[in-house]
Structure formats: C-alpha cells, structure tokens
Amino acid sequence: MDRFVTSNEPGILLLHGYGNVFERTLGDGEKILVEPGGFLYKDSSVQMNVQQQNVKTGLMHKGMYLAEMVGPGRVGIQSMYVHHAA
C-alpha cells in the first residue's frame, strides 16, 4: 500500500477512481465492509482487516473476502474498478 506524506509544507494529492468516488468518515470503532476492488484510500488512523463472508449461492461456493475498515478516519470507495492483466 502506498503512503503519501508531506514534511513542513502543505500538499495536495489527486487520485483517480473509476465510476463514482464516495468518502465515508468513520467514528471511533465504527466499521464498514468494502469489496477490496472498491477500496481507493484511507487515513492512516483507519485499521484494515480481512473478513471472509460465507456466500454459497450461484457460482460462488467458496465465499468472498471483504476489507473491514475500522475508524476513526476517512475511507475512499470507488463504485467501479478495472482488473488489469498481470
């Protein structure tokens, strides 16, 4: 994960997100689950954990993994994402 900081000077960081970008401000201990491809940014005060969800419908028989964000702090979520070929 990239980290952007400035020293002794104000700065600006511009990020591009696919679709719409939403910012959610979490209170102390407040949690939100985000599909990992939708995660765009977070404040350093926000903890990120992996949580497995048991989804056994349709083609998904193994479940899925979600990013659990725990506040306090801001989280940026994009409504779409693009898988780049490796």
Side-chain angles (χ1 to χ4, degrees):
M1 184 176 305
D2 294 326
R3 183 173 182 201
F4 302 96
V5 297
T6 65
S7 298
N8 304 322
E9 296 292 329
I12 186 168
L13 173 66
L14 301 174
L15 295 174
H16 176 268
Y18 292 99
N20 294 314
V21 174
F22 303 95
E23 183 175 270
R24 176 78 185 262
T25 302
L26 301 175
D28 190 25
E30 185 177 9
K31 299 177 183 179
I32 187 171
L33 294 174
V34 178
E35 199 281 330
F39 167 70
L40 188 59
Y41 65 87
K42 70 177 191 66
D43 285 337
S44 61
S45 59
V46 175
Q47 295 178 9
M48 184 167 61
N49 307 307
V50 177
Q51 189 174 98
Q52 184 177 9
Q53 298 290 311
N54 293 324
V55 179
K56 307 230 186 238
T57 61
L59 299 173
M60 297 178 65
H61 297 288
K62 297 179 182 177
M64 65 185 293
Y65 292 93
L66 297 174
E68 178 188 60
M69 307 292 184
V70 182
R74 298 172 299 168
V75 176
I77 305 164
Q78 56 188 356
S79 64
M80 297 174 54
Y81 61 94
V82 176
H83 289 285
H84 297 285

